[in-house]
C-alpha cells in the first residue's frame, strides 16, 4: 500500500472580513472553523478592526482580522477550503457585485514564502501591500514578516497613502 505523504507544514496568513449580517460573528466563527480544518491549526489571531469598504457600491464598514495558520494542505486545496467556509456563511460569488458587501471574505494572503500566479490563485495576495485593513492586523501578529516583492509589514504601514486609510480597533462587544 502506498501512503500519500503530506507536504511540510507551512505558515499561511488568512485575511478575514465581513460587513453584512452580524459581521463580527462571521469573522470570529470563521477563525474557529479554520482551527477545525484537517491538517491545519490556527497559531495566532489578530484583534478585530473596523474599516471602510474599498471600491464598489456604498456599503457598511467591514470587520477585519488576520490569522496565521500552520497548514499541511497544498495552496489550491487551502483556497478551496476557504471558499467552502465562505459558502457556509452565505457567500455566493456568482451573485455578488465586485467589491460589494459580503457575509464573509477569506483571502489567502501568504502561503509561506511561496509565490504563485495561477488562474484563480495569486500568492502573495496582489493588493496586500495597498490595504491598511490587512497590514494593520497583520502587523499585530507578524510585524517583521517579509512579503515577497513588497517588503516588511511594519515598514509598509509607514507609507503615507496607507496611513491615511481609516482602520480602527473594533469596539468591544456590548
Amino acid at each position: 500500500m502506498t501512503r500519500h505523504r503530506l507536504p511540510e507544514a507551512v505558515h499561511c496568513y488568512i485575511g478575514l472580513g465581513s460587513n453584512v449580517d452580524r459581521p463580527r460573528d462571521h469573522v470570529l466563527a470563521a477563525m474557529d472553523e479554520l482551527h477545525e480544518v484537517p491538517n491545519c491549526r490556527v497559531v495566532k489571531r489578530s484583534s478585530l478592526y473596523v474599516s471602510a469598504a474599498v471600491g464598489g457600491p456604498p456599503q457598511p464598514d467591514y470587520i477585519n482580522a488576520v490569522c496565521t495558520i500552520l497548514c499541511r494542505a497544498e495552496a489550491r486545496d487551502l483556497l478551496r477550503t476557504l471558499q467552502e467556509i465562505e459558502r457556509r456563511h452565505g457567500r455566493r460569488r456568482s451573485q455578488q457585485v465586485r467589491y460589494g458587501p459580503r457575509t464573509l471574505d477569506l483571502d489567502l494572503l501568504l502561503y509561506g514564502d511561496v509565490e504563485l500566479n495561477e488562474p484563480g490563485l495569486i500568492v502573495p495576495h496582489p493588493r496586500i501591500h495597498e490595504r491598511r485593513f490587512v497590514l494593520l492586523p497583520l502587523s499585530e501578529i507578524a510585524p517583521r514578516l517579509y512579503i515577497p516583492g513588497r517588503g516588511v509589514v511594519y515598514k509598509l504601514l509607514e507609507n503615507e497613502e496607507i496611513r491615511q486609510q481609516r482602520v480602527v480597533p473594533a469596539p468591544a462587544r456590548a
Side-chain angles (χ1 to χ4, degrees):
M1 180 168 92
T2 305
R3 293 182 64 177
H4 178 70
R5 186 164 182 249
L6 291 172
E8 292 298 314
V10 175
H11 280 94
C12 303
Y13 294 84
I14 310 297
L16 302 95
S18 174
N19 72 339
V20 177
D21 188 30
R22 299 179 335 275
R24 177 188 301 267
D25 293 342
H26 285 293
V27 169
L28 293 174
M31 284 184 177
D32 290 341
E33 291 173 52
L34 286 170
H35 195 67
E36 301 301 319
V37 172
N39 299 310
C40 294
R41 71 178 168 90
V42 176
V43 177
K44 289 185 181 178
R45 300 175 179 210
S46 76
S47 301
L48 301 180
Y49 291 84
V50 176
S51 67
V54 176
Q59 57 190 296
D61 287 347
Y62 276 82
I63 294 289
N64 296 103
V66 170
C67 65
T68 309
I69 64 173
L70 192 57
C71 188
R72 291 185 180 272
E74 297 289 344
R76 178 70 60 188
D77 294 334
L78 178 56
L79 178 63
R80 276 193 285 273
T81 298
L82 297 178
Q83 291 171 344
E84 178 54 36
I85 293 170
E86 289 175 341
R87 278 190 294 280
R88 287 197 303 261
H89 284 262
R91 182 162 182 190
R92 302 293 178 257
R93 287 178 181 268
S94 63
Q95 301 168 2
Q96 185 176 312
V97 174
R98 184 165 172 82
Y99 300 120
R102 57 199 71 171
T103 55
L104 185 62
D105 185 28
L106 299 177
D107 288 327
L108 178 54
L109 302 172
L110 294 157
Y111 182 83
D113 59 1
V114 172
E115 295 182 58
L116 296 170
N117 190 345
E118 303 172 357
L121 177 60
I122 301 173
V123 179
H125 189 285
R127 290 172 300 285
I128 190 173
H129 64 289
E130 300 171 350
R131 295 180 168 170
R132 185 171 176 84
F133 67 83
V134 172
L135 291 171
L136 195 57
L138 188 55
S139 73
E140 181 184 328
I141 61 176
R144 297 191 179 283
L145 179 67
Y146 176 74
I147 299 171
R150 299 299 179 188
V152 178
V153 170
Y154 81 93
K155 290 279 193 187
L156 293 169
L157 276 168
E158 294 172 359
N159 177 295
E160 189 59 33
E161 284 183 35
I162 299 298
R163 291 176 54 185
Q164 291 179 12
Q165 296 173 17
R166 184 182 67 83
V167 178
V168 297
R173 182 172 255 173

